[in-house]
Amino acid sequence: MSFIKTLLTTILGVLISFFIIGFLMLIIILAIVAGSTEKSVQINDNSVMHITLDYPITDRTSNNLISNFSMNTLQGKVNLGLNDLLKNIQDASRDPKIRGIYLDAGIVIASYPTIDEIREGLIEFKKSGKFILAYADNYTQQGYFLASVADSIFLNPRGLLFFNGLNSESMFISRLLKKAGISMQVFKGSDNKYKSAIEFFTEEKMTEESAGQRSKYIQSAWSYLLTKISETRNISIDSLDQLADSLSLEPNEKLVSKKLIDGYRYKDQIINNLHKLTGRVLSDKIEIISIHEYTNNKIELAKAPNKIAVIFAEGEMVPGESSDGNMGSETISQILRDIRNDSSIKAAVLRINSGGGSAQAAEIIWREAALLSKTKPFIVSMGSAAASGGYYIAAPAQFIMANSMTITGSIGVFGLIPNIQELLNDKLGITYDGVKTNTYADIFNMSRPMTSGEKIIMQSSINNTYKTFVERVAQGRGLSSKLIDQIGRGQIFSGIDAIEIGLVDQIGGLSSAIKQVAEMANVKNYETIEYPKELTLLEQVFNTTENKIKLSIIRSQLPAEYIEFERIKNIMKADKIQTRMAFDVNAN
């Protein structure tokens, strides 16, 4: 009987494996067929580029068919990352066949710093004398921030515009843990009172320090948003602030009278507008090409003699190899090492979009970043966040650029050891017992509280890690350890505030960082080489598991909930000592 059960289980496992492999092969075959049959779109004179950004925008375009699987994949389309969006907008500004941009900006799924970089790219586009027209059935606040750069903004007559400010909210599960019989044994670096990542487990609401620094950040970000909208829409900052306090969920002519929008239009009227802007009669067809199609139709330029490396360091910082949105210390440090030893690469930009993670992973990457900085021009470009471990690896760079709304700083360390004794003993009726050869043979055992000796060891390690973190930053920034400690202790800053205290050198995006490092290297004719290298189709298949498919589906259907899930999972599975920040900015 046991043999039969084992045999049936094995057969079932094999069948499930074949099903998963078959599903993967179906996706890949469909994607290949769709991609191979995709027709090249001809770009005619007086064409209009259509931009839609209703998908999660990462720093870099990914070719991973499994993680990014959607109907777009089957149509041979790839969701463009910030890097290719900026390239296409820049190229379109110089393309004589592109007359202007039709910006469909109702929904933009991206952080404000990312949107701001796209917005700056559109401002550069307007300098070419070409038009930008924005239209949406409804505008989210992110969408309106982007649309506010347009020459004209229109809204559906029954549409809504959400313009209501910023907020930052966190979930706390300390009461849930208490009911479950789980207690968190917390360790922080010396006076790291602003290190708020662990409050999720230990508090029922924000501490005074956490609430204070979050409030300061969102006020700084909100002030920046109002300033930028004020500049392009010619509305006073005070008026914009008052409009945010008078949100209406009904179509409102005040939006027109206060110049937030230029009018209400239906789609057919927008098409008429585009006819006029392109000099066509109404009976003619508007030549529209999507920004995604434009990628496939640009003429490949000849290879330049000089290379500038752009390394994308995104996501959770973990030991080992990069995978599934995690930044692996082995992967990134190897790339930095190879770039340092490659004489054909004249300079490098490290693009960081990370709130940190493993302290050891940060130290490993820091070492190679420090060596690269001594070898050739090396700049850090900060994305939405480059905080805690993200700032750790930025510190050695010769120059640091950030967006005004980048979340940075958070120079601090913490450790988290769960104690589940009450859950096991009292809730589940499970007990543990054992023997050991030495005093600390069972250190970090979660089935009991830590001893006083274990706590001393852990706290000492935390303090030493924080001291090293402070020294690394002080050395990289040319400041005293005492000053870094004062602005450290887990405090977060916006990019613009970080300039005042010496953590950032200049406000600017990825494009600006590449231009800056090229000037430092004294090269004019260059091409950018992006790292890490993308996986081949075959490598994607062999790196895909049933669990990855499930997570990909969850991520696509429940993006906000998935972020919370990832935060909990990463904190719990990470190293005992972590350099991590926990901070979100929300808006409609």
Side-chain angles (χ1 to χ4, degrees), residues 117-227:
E117 288 203 45
I118 299 171
R119 197 175 182 277
E120 289 299 315
L122 292 172
I123 288 175
E124 286 298 312
F125 174 88
K126 289 172 65 175
K127 292 179 181 178
S128 67
K130 301 179 181 183
F131 71 84
I132 300 178
L133 182 149
Y135 176 74
D137 291 329
N138 297 287
Y139 283 108
T140 62
Q141 188 164 275
Q142 289 98 325
Y144 181 75
F145 177 54
L146 181 62
S148 65
V149 75
D151 301 300
S152 52
I153 306 174
F154 297 107
L155 177 63
N156 184 287
R158 297 304 303 169
L160 302 177
L161 191 160
F162 288 89
F163 187 71
N164 55 331
L166 302 177
N167 74 89
S168 175
E169 185 178 47
S170 291
M171 180 172 65
F172 300 89
I173 63 169
S174 62
R175 292 175 64 183
L176 174 64
L177 293 176
K178 186 176 181 181
K179 288 181 179 181
I182 301 173
S183 61
M184 289 295 181
Q185 300 164 107
V186 175
F187 303 86
K188 290 185 178 183
S190 303
D191 197 25
N192 280 196
K193 60 183 179 180
Y194 294 96
K195 201 68 180 170
S196 60
I198 53 176
E199 292 179 2
F200 173 83
F201 299 98
T202 61
E203 308 294 331
E204 294 184 18
K205 62 179 183 178
M206 293 184 196
T207 62
E208 183 179 345
E209 292 81 6
S210 177
Q213 67 173 344
R214 291 185 184 215
S215 178
K216 182 180 179 182
Y217 171 81
I218 64 172
Q219 288 295 340
S220 174
W222 181 237
S223 176
Y224 179 78
L225 288 175
L226 294 180
T227 299

Side-chain angles (χ1 to χ4, degrees), residues 49-62 67-73 77-89 103-111 114-115 118 140 142-143 146 290-293 295 555-557 559 563:
M49 176 182 281
H50 185 204
I51 299 179
T52 55
L53 303 172
D54 56 349
Y55 59 89
I57 301 172
T58 56
D59 274 355
R60 183 189 187 190
T61 303
S62 172
S67 299
N68 302 308
F69 181 73
S70 66
M71 290 307 297
N72 282 344
T73 310
K77 297 178 182 178
V78 176
N79 289 338
L80 299 181
L82 176 65
N83 58 337
D84 284 326
L85 288 171
L86 294 177
K87 286 178 184 176
N88 286 0
I89 291 170
L103 184 59
D104 194 343
I107 298 175
V108 180
I109 306 176
S111 68
T114 297
I115 295 170
I118 299 171
T140 62
Q142 289 98 325
L146 181 62
S290 76
I291 193 168
H292 302 82
E293 292 172 327
T295 299
R555 182 167 53 234
S556 64
Q557 298 301 313
I563 291 173

Side-chain angles (χ1 to χ4, degrees), residues 504-523:
V504 169
D505 295 300
Q506 185 176 310
I507 296 300
L510 179 58
S511 298
S512 298
I514 294 172
K515 291 177 183 177
Q516 177 78 13
V517 84
E519 290 179 9
M520 291 168 60
N522 196 28
V523 294

Side-chain angles (χ1 to χ4, degrees), residues 163-434:
F163 187 71
N164 55 331
L166 302 177
N167 74 89
S168 175
E169 185 178 47
S170 291
M171 180 172 65
F172 300 89
I173 63 169
S174 62
R175 292 175 64 183
L176 174 64
L177 293 176
K178 186 176 181 181
K179 288 181 179 181
I182 301 173
S183 61
M184 289 295 181
Q185 300 164 107
V186 175
F187 303 86
K188 290 185 178 183
S190 303
D191 197 25
N192 280 196
K193 60 183 179 180
Y194 294 96
K195 201 68 180 170
S196 60
I198 53 176
E199 292 179 2
F200 173 83
F201 299 98
T202 61
E203 308 294 331
E204 294 184 18
K205 62 179 183 178
M206 293 184 196
T207 62
E208 183 179 345
E209 292 81 6
S210 177
Q213 67 173 344
R214 291 185 184 215
S215 178
K216 182 180 179 182
Y217 171 81
I218 64 172
Q219 288 295 340
S220 174
W222 181 237
S223 176
Y224 179 78
L225 288 175
L226 294 180
T227 299
K228 302 309 285 186
I229 295 172
S230 173
E231 289 173 355
T232 53
R233 294 300 298 171
N234 195 26
I235 310 172
S236 74
I237 292 175
D238 288 342
S239 294
L240 286 169
D241 212 16
Q242 291 169 9
L243 285 166
D245 284 331
S246 59
L247 175 69
S248 173
L249 296 182
E250 293 291 335
N252 194 334
E253 283 299 327
K254 183 168 66 174
L255 299 182
V256 179
S257 63
K258 296 295 184 180
K259 297 190 292 188
L260 277 177
I261 64 174
D262 294 295
Y264 289 98
R265 298 282 192 279
Y266 287 103
K267 188 65 171 285
D268 63 291
Q269 294 172 309
I270 293 300
I271 294 173
N272 290 343
N273 277 74
L274 290 174
H275 274 91
K276 293 177 182 178
L277 289 169
T278 55
R280 295 177 181 273
V281 297
L282 294 180
S283 59
D284 288 345
K285 180 184 176 182
I286 294 291
E287 298 288 343
I288 293 181
I289 181 169
S290 76
I291 193 168
H292 302 82
E293 292 172 327
Y294 191 70
T295 299
N296 300 324
N297 287 272
K298 290 188 294 183
I299 298 172
E300 288 291 330
L301 300 176
K303 298 292 183 182
N306 300 305
K307 298 177 183 176
I308 292 178
V310 180
I311 309 102
F312 290 90
E314 292 188 80
E316 173 82 6
M317 202 173 291
V318 298
E321 301 290 339
S322 298
S323 64
D324 298 329
N326 292 329
M327 181 203 315
S329 59
E330 182 61 30
T331 300
I332 302 300
S333 61
Q334 181 64 56
I335 290 170
L336 295 173
R337 188 179 306 120
D338 291 343
I339 290 171
R340 171 164 55 90
N341 295 321
D342 189 337
S343 59
S344 69
I345 297 177
K346 306 304 180 184
V349 174
L350 179 62
R351 171 69 173 197
I352 302 173
N353 210 332
S354 173
S358 162
Q360 184 185 41
E363 172 70 8
I364 292 170
I365 296 172
W366 169 87
R367 169 65 179 174
E368 288 299 334
L371 291 174
L372 177 59
S373 189
K374 295 177 181 178
T375 308
K376 55 188 67 177
F378 176 49
I379 279 182
V380 158
S381 169
M382 294 181 168
S384 301
S388 202
Y391 192 84
Y392 198 122
I393 65 174
Q398 299 158 12
F399 201 78
I400 296 177
M401 301 182 76
N403 183 274
S404 294
M405 294 177 286
T406 295
I407 301 173
T408 190
S410 193
I411 300 168
V413 181
F414 72 88
L416 198 64
I417 310 295
N419 169 24
I420 60 174
Q421 184 181 60
E422 184 182 343
L423 170 64
L424 296 173
N425 296 177
D426 300 341
K427 308 287 185 181
L428 303 178
I430 299 172
T431 58
Y432 279 81
D433 196 11

Side-chain angles (χ1 to χ4, degrees), residues 88-112:
N88 286 0
I89 291 170
Q90 183 182 53
D91 290 346
S93 70
R94 299 182 298 224
D95 190 334
K97 293 186 176 182
I98 299 296
R99 187 71 174 271
I101 288 176
Y102 167 33
L103 184 59
D104 194 343
I107 298 175
V108 180
I109 306 176
S111 68
Y112 279 108

